[in-house]
């Protein structure tokens, strides 16, 4: 085979193809002496099967060994060192090379364990593994792949596997291209057998294989890589080390003088993927002297995030590389960015770890921004429209379709193919604060302060993040979730929003989870309440001239005294309270009218019934000829009735497990008055849980703990996945 030739063979019988290709190239004639020590250098960058597109197929190396041994060459050694952070021994095992070496009695050398020698490589001193120096004829068996930093990796770059890990890191500190070019003089490649079966044309560690089913043979590594550039629609100038290696005399990139010999024709024309995607993803990173493993994991992690829609609004750069050692910054991955505010340790961290870390960072940033935006929009009970408009538009931007505002003013999105066996998620939009309350975020000592930020703005934002995750998934369950941002939960809103939701969907709801309060308990019992405005009237008169007439304020006070002598009955706790009182006109007039508000509460329906009877009796006892007492109901929050105890317990226990996972504490059952009262009163299992830590409910100094935001969106996400269960695995859409 001549230096200006490239042979190509197509097919799926990889062992036979290899032997035929080598026969046509006359590899045996090129080697000559049967006593020569022959090095075989595959690409085992990581411990991943060749089918994933990152490593050399063992069938190709088997075909090579069969050919060599049939021609009398037995002094063979397979040598490789995986990338920094990987273990070559594991790659030998996973990729099938240990068994291959044992079957054919070939030496297997882990270059990561080899001592190194220093060698002058065209004016650059490089440290090279000793095993590469003890070879008479080197056969390079790279995978034709894309590369996040150099665009391609094939013949020239594959020899980097025969460097010690410290030298691999130094290559990145020197900018990769120049040392790769000089390495071509340090380790001579006598023959190149290219695995172009299914290499990942985007990422060097595989994961996105492109089926090509062909092998290439070449004698000039520079010409080989120049051909790969043209094949992938790059110019050789796009991969600087090719031109640098040519200048150093390692080979020629002149494809006009090359002779391409195809030994057969492919059955089907292969289609190349869109390769600009990697370059676009690379723009999201700020890379300075990063190692291949670290950077090679980052780009696929960003690719996964981009496909899932997480990078749509992501503007920050992810810093990576040795150039950030000892420096400060915001967001970085790898041990070299240890000084950054948000950083992922590891050398290198894995692709999955980077994906999870960046996803958490993006989700936390989005959740925090959403909390702050919502908290600054006034939303007193009955005046939620501005928040409703914001939420509807926000959900639509996340990809949620058919978001609507219902008759009560709730913002709803149904994530389900059918209107049956639904789980209802609610979080209320309204707060206890009036329209003129100053709403401004203040961050202090790891806390975010703002009226209404905990009740219920943070929980609302975390529920919306779960809805966004559902919308981005590209999947709709058969029996899914109704997301509802509700109105009228606070004060005299009388659970207006929740009533409308379960009026519309009660027939289809199997269970409900309401996100409210803090994450300290599972609120699985409904505190019912009855609220009244009581108006007491008397004739009134002058305080001196008409002294002795009945005073409405005094009569109201007597009525209040009777009410406070009330005693609850039934099995549950009962409370009662006079919240406001007003009456009279001036100091020297006998009051003709007094008005107060009164409520009683209990989680026991029997107790509530008896409290109602006692209230009515106290009203009747107040009436006489000159005194009237009228009560107007201004709110009823029902207790639970007819709920299946086992199903309620299962739902509560499932939510408790989620909370315990993120709080690492015991989570008790408690009773509360929330949106969950309505489904519970209809016999539908329902619980209320919080998603964040905080305090100061219903005060101007209300706050949430900033660090709890990350757990908050994870809690709603886990509850979402818990509720849709195994449906995704079973869905034919997937």
């Amino acid at each position: 085979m001549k230096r200006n030739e490239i042979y190509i063979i197509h097919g799926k019988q990889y062992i036979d193809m290899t032997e035929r290709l080598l026969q046509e190239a006359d590899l045996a004639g090129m080697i000559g002496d049967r006593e020569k020590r022959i090095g075989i250098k595959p690409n085992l960058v990581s411990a991943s099967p060749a089918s994933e597109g990152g490593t050399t197929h063992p069938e190709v190396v088997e075909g090579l060994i069969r050919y060599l041994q049939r021609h009398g060459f037995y002094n063979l050694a397979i040598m490789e060192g995986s990338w920094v952070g990987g273990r070559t021994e594991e790659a030998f095992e996973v990729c099938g090379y240990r068994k291959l070496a044992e079957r054919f009695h070939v030496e297997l050398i882990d270059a990561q364990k080899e001592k190194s020698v220093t060698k002058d490589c065209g004016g650059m001193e490089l440290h090279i593994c000793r095993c590469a120096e003890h070879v008479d004829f080197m056969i390079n068996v790279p995978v034709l792949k894309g590369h996040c930093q150099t665009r391609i990796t094939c013949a020239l770059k594959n020899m980097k596997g025969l460097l010690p890990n410290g030298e691999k890191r130094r290559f990145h500190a020197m900018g990769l291209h120049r040392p790769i070019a000089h390495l071509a003089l340090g380790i001579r490649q006598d023959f190149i057998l290219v695995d172009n079966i299914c290499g990942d044309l985007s990422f060097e560690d595989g994961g996105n294989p492109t089926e090509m089913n062909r092998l290439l043979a070449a004698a000039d590594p520079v010409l080989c890589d120049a051909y790969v550039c043209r094949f992938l629609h790059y110019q050789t100038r796009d991969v600087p080390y090719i031109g640098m290696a040519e200048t150093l005399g390692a080979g020629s990139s002149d494809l006009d003088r090359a002779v391409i010999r195809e030994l057969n024709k492919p059955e089907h024309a292969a289609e190349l993927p869109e390769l600009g995607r990697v370059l676009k993803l690379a723009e999201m990173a700020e890379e300075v002297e990063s190692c291949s493993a670290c950077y090679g994991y980052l780009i696929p992690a960003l690719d996964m995030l981009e496909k899932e829609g997480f990078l749509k609004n992501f503007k920050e750069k992810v810093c990576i590389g040795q150039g950030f050692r000892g420096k400060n910054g915001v967001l970085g991955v790898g041990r070299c960015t240890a000084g950054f505010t948000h950083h992922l340790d590891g050398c290198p961290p894995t692709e999955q770890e980077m994906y999870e870390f960046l996803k958490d960072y993006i989700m936390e940033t989005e959740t925090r921004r959403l909390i702050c935006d919502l908290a600054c929009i006034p939303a007193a009970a009955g005046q939620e429209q501005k928040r409703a408009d914001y939420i509807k538009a926000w959900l639509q931007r996340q990809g949620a379709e058919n978001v609507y505002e219902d008759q009560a003013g709730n913002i709803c999105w149904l994530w389900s193919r059918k209107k049956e066996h639904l789980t209802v998620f609610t979080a209320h939009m309204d707060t206890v604060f009036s329209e003129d309350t100053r709403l401004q975020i203040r961050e202090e000592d790891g806390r975010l302060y703002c009226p209404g930020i905990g009740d219920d703005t943070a929980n609302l934002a975390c529920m919306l993040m779960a809805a966004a995750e559902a919308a981005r998934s590209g999947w709709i369950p058969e029996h899914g979730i109704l997301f509802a941002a509700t109105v009228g939960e606070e004060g005299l809103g009388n659970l207006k929003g929740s009533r409308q939701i379960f009026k519309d969907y009660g027939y289809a709801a199997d269970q409900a989870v309401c996100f409210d309060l803090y994450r300290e308990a599972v609120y699985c019992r409904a505190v019912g309440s009855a609220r009244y405005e009581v108006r007491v009237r008397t004739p009134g008169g002058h305080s001196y001239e008409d002294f002795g007439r009945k005073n409405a304020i005094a009569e109201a006070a007597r009525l209040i005294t009777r009410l406070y002598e009330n005693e609850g009955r039934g099995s549950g706790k009962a409370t009662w309270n006079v919240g406001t009182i007003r009456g009279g006109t001036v100091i020297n007039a006998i009051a003709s009218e007094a008005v107060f508000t009164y409520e009683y509460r209990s989680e026991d329906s029997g107790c509530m019934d008896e409290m109602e009877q006692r209230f009515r009796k106290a009203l009747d006892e107040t009436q006489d000829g000159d005194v009237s007492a009228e009560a107007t109901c201004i709110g009823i929050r029902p207790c639970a009735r007819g709920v299946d105890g086992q199903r309620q317990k299962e739902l509560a226990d499932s939510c408790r497990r989620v909370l315990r996972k993120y709080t690492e504490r015991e989570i008790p059952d408690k009773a509360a008055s929330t949106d969950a009262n309505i489904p519970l009163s209809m016999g539908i299992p329902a619980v209320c849980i919080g998603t964040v830590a905080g305090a100061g409910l219903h005060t101007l100094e209300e706050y949430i703990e900033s660090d709890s935001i990350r757990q908050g969106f994870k809690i709603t996400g886990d509850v979402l996945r818990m509720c849709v269960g195994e449906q995704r695995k079973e869905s034919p859409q997937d």
Side-chain angles (χ1 to χ4, degrees), residues 551-553 582-587 589-595:
N551 185 308
I553 293 176
R582 67 183 189 274
T585 54
V586 294
I587 193 170
I590 298 170
S592 62
E593 184 176 85
V595 181

Side-chain angles (χ1 to χ4, degrees), residues 268-511:
H268 306 286
E271 292 186 11
L272 295 179
E274 198 277 299
L275 300 178
R277 180 180 186 82
V278 174
L279 300 179
K280 183 179 178 182
L281 292 169
E283 292 175 0
M284 298 179 182
E286 187 171 342
E287 182 266 328
V288 181
E289 302 172 10
S290 67
C291 298
S292 290
C294 209
Y295 196 76
Y297 285 146
L298 173 61
I299 299 300
L302 289 171
D303 186 50
M304 287 193 288
L305 291 167
E306 199 276 333
K307 288 176 179 176
E308 293 176 16
F310 287 102
L311 301 183
K312 186 183 297 183
N313 300 313
F314 185 58
K315 305 300 181 186
E316 292 183 49
K317 295 278 190 179
V318 183
C319 295
I320 183 171
Q322 301 170 71
F324 291 105
R325 283 179 178 166
K327 296 182 179 179
N328 298 322
V330 177
L331 179 63
V333 293
R335 190 169 298 164
C336 299
T337 60
F340 281 48
T341 304
H342 303 276
H343 100 283
L344 174 65
D345 200 11
C347 188
T350 67
E351 179 180 318
Q352 188 64 28
E353 287 170 341
M354 289 189 187
Y355 165 79
E356 295 290 348
F357 167 74
L358 291 172
K359 179 181 176 181
D360 284 353
Y361 177 81
I362 292 167
M363 292 279 283
E364 182 178 5
T365 302
E366 286 187 15
T367 308
R368 181 189 175 97
R369 184 185 303 119
L370 183 56
I371 290 171
C372 292
D373 286 352
L374 288 171
C376 293
I377 301 173
Q383 298 174 301
E384 303 96 340
Q385 192 61 52
K386 289 180 181 178
R387 273 200 189 186
D389 292 343
Y390 178 98
I391 289 168
K392 183 177 180 181
W394 187 89
L395 281 170
Q396 289 170 335
R397 288 197 301 273
Q398 310 315 307
E401 297 181 354
N402 302 315
V403 181
Y404 68 95
E405 182 174 336
D406 70 9
Q407 186 177 340
N410 301 310
I411 299 301
C412 306
W413 178 51
L414 181 62
W415 183 54
S416 181
R417 301 180 73 80
K418 295 180 179 179
K419 287 186 180 180
E420 58 183 33
H421 302 301
L422 299 177
T423 297
V424 177
F425 279 6
T426 72
H428 64 87
M429 294 186 284
D430 57 320
T431 74
V432 299
F433 299 97
S434 64
E435 285 282 299
D436 58 357
T437 302
R438 186 184 182 198
L439 301 176
Q440 185 174 356
I441 301 291
R442 182 176 95 251
E443 186 163 11
E444 187 177 301
D445 298 328
R447 294 171 174 174
L448 291 178
Y449 289 83
C450 188
I453 196 167
D455 184 16
D456 192 32
T457 304
N459 293 309
L460 173 61
C462 289
M463 184 195 76
L464 291 173
M465 291 303 294
E469 181 179 346
R472 292 165 177 164
S473 70
W475 169 73
I476 303 175
E478 286 289 303
H479 309 296
I481 294 174
L482 173 70
F483 294 91
T486 59
V487 299
E489 195 278 340
E490 295 287 9
L492 298 178
N494 203 30
L495 305 181
K496 175 184 176 182
S498 187
R499 290 178 191 276
Q500 186 69 48
I501 291 296
F502 289 95
K503 176 184 176 183
D504 294 342
Y505 287 94
Y507 72 94
D510 279 359
Q511 59 187 7

Side-chain angles (χ1 to χ4, degrees), residues 53 85 94 157 168 204 219 222 238 349 403 412 418 423 473 507 558 600 649 701:
V94 172
K157 189 176 178 300
K168 290 174 184 174
E204 58 268 35
V222 176
D238 294 329
V403 181
C412 306
K418 295 180 179 179
T423 297
S473 70
Y507 72 94
R558 291 190 183 95
Y600 52 86
K649 182 178 184 302
E701 287 297 300

Side-chain angles (χ1 to χ4, degrees), residues 653-701:
D653 287 346
S654 296
C655 289
R656 190 186 338 276
R657 283 192 291 272
V658 173
L659 291 179
R660 191 183 294 140
K661 173 181 175 181
Y662 294 104
T663 62
E664 297 182 349
R665 52 177 285 186
E666 287 304 310
I667 304 296
D669 287 344
K670 286 189 177 182
S673 178
T674 68
D675 273 344
N677 283 43
I678 300 302
L680 286 169
S681 73
M682 300 168 65
I684 300 170
V687 299
C688 173
I689 61 172
T691 62
V692 295
L697 289 180
H698 295 191
T699 72
L700 295 175
E701 287 297 300

